Amino acid sequence: MNRPAIYTDFDGVLNAFPDNKIQRRGGVGHTGWLKPDDPRASLYSSDHAFPLTGNLVVEVPPGRYRLRWSRELADGLHKLAVAGIIELAWLTTWQPYCVNTLDPALGWNPDIVHTVRWYDPVTNQGRFSGKLDTIFSRLRFETYQEDPSPIIWLDDEECYPARAKYIETWKPAAPLLMIRPDERIGISRRQWLLIQDFVHHPDEYPPVTLDEEPTIRAHAMHHGL
């Protein structure tokens, strides 16, 4: 198989939204003040989650946003792309601001990391269906390739069981891994290990694999931009 292609969201995947009290008291790895039976203790354990070592306030036309991300995780993804092991692409509502805002913040090279133009930032046309359309477009493309690329889709809202079953009906030419993180911590250490294993051994996976962090919770609004 050809090298895997990773399509990644930003908010809730790399940019995490920890509980305010957790963040005020030190964030990931600083949970000694919690009661032993508090589920946040395991969620924010440094064995489970990446410490959010990146912290930056950015100004873009919609407003001011605080970004919190793991430099270790972001660097790990970028290094795979720089080494040519993966194809890395942004698939995020931050689309208009990836090159000038997100890439510099994370230290990503925009000549290596592609930004998918999946919706019109002026009219918002495609905002509700553009991500899935992008994945389907890539699946169709790979169907006609002699050496199809496996695909990894990282998104805390778009990757869920009903969608995974629907994509299965398309009979992907190469395996697809869908990762749904808990937006409070972003991609967990366990999920990062799974991503790396898939990158190096995609042929060992079924046509479609969905991994949802067990602690995910429903929320009424989209976090971030």
Side-chain angles (χ1 to χ4, degrees):
M1 294 182 182
N2 203 350
R3 63 176 181 167
I6 296 184
Y7 291 88
T8 185
D9 188 16
F10 182 59
D11 291 327
V13 176
L14 294 174
N15 185 33
F17 300 91
D19 294 337
N20 289 333
K21 193 170 184 179
I22 293 289
Q23 190 60 33
R24 289 198 307 270
R25 295 205 175 193
V28 172
H30 301 275
T31 57
W33 55 276
L34 291 169
K35 294 181 179 179
D37 59 347
D38 191 316
R40 292 176 298 176
S42 57
L43 175 65
Y44 292 104
S45 164
S46 57
D47 291 333
H48 177 71
F50 289 95
L52 304 178
T53 51
N55 192 331
L56 181 69
V57 174
V58 299
E59 291 191 29
V60 291
R64 290 167 55 89
Y65 296 86
R66 180 172 294 280
L67 313 181
R68 292 190 176 95
W69 72 97
S70 162
R71 294 187 184 278
E72 179 183 352
L73 176 61
D75 289 350
L77 276 169
H78 188 243
K79 286 177 181 178
L80 288 176
V82 171
I85 296 172
I86 63 168
E87 171 191 334
L88 182 58
W90 285 116
L91 187 58
T92 170
T93 50
W94 284 81
Q95 168 195 299
Y97 316 110
C98 288
V99 172
N100 294 326
T101 301
L102 297 191
D103 287 336
L106 273 59
W108 285 12
N109 184 344
D111 292 330
I112 294 175
V113 182
H114 174 60
T115 300
V116 178
R117 311 295 177 181
W118 60 278
Y119 78 97
D120 187 320
V122 177
T123 66
N124 277 331
Q125 182 177 357
R127 185 149 178 167
F128 295 104
S129 61
K131 287 187 176 182
L132 182 59
D133 289 344
T134 296
I135 298 300
F136 277 153
S137 178
R138 184 61 185 262
L139 288 174
R140 284 193 294 269
F141 173 80
E142 295 303 334
T143 298
Y144 299 101
Q145 304 310 304
E146 182 176 345
D147 191 18
S149 293
I151 298 171
I152 302 173
W153 188 11
L154 313 177
D155 200 293
D156 66 315
E157 293 183 320
E158 299 269 349
C159 296
Y160 51 85
R163 176 152 292 173
K165 289 182 180 179
Y166 179 55
I167 293 177
E168 282 182 346
T169 66
W170 281 65
K171 301 185 185 304
L176 168 69
L177 174 63
M178 304 169 67
I179 297 286
R180 185 182 184 185
D182 185 317
E183 83 281 354
R184 292 171 291 180
I185 61 171
I187 295 171
S188 68
R189 291 188 182 277
R190 180 191 62 79
Q191 289 179 322
W192 175 229
L193 290 175
L194 176 60
I195 291 167
Q196 292 179 85
D197 185 71
F198 182 90
V199 164
H200 294 291
H201 309 286
D203 55 319
E204 297 180 4
Y205 286 76
V208 178
T209 300
L210 170 66
D211 184 87
E212 295 182 295
E213 193 64 38
T215 54
I216 57 173
R217 59 183 183 179
H219 47 81
M221 64 180 70
H222 176 75
H223 288 297
L225 184 68

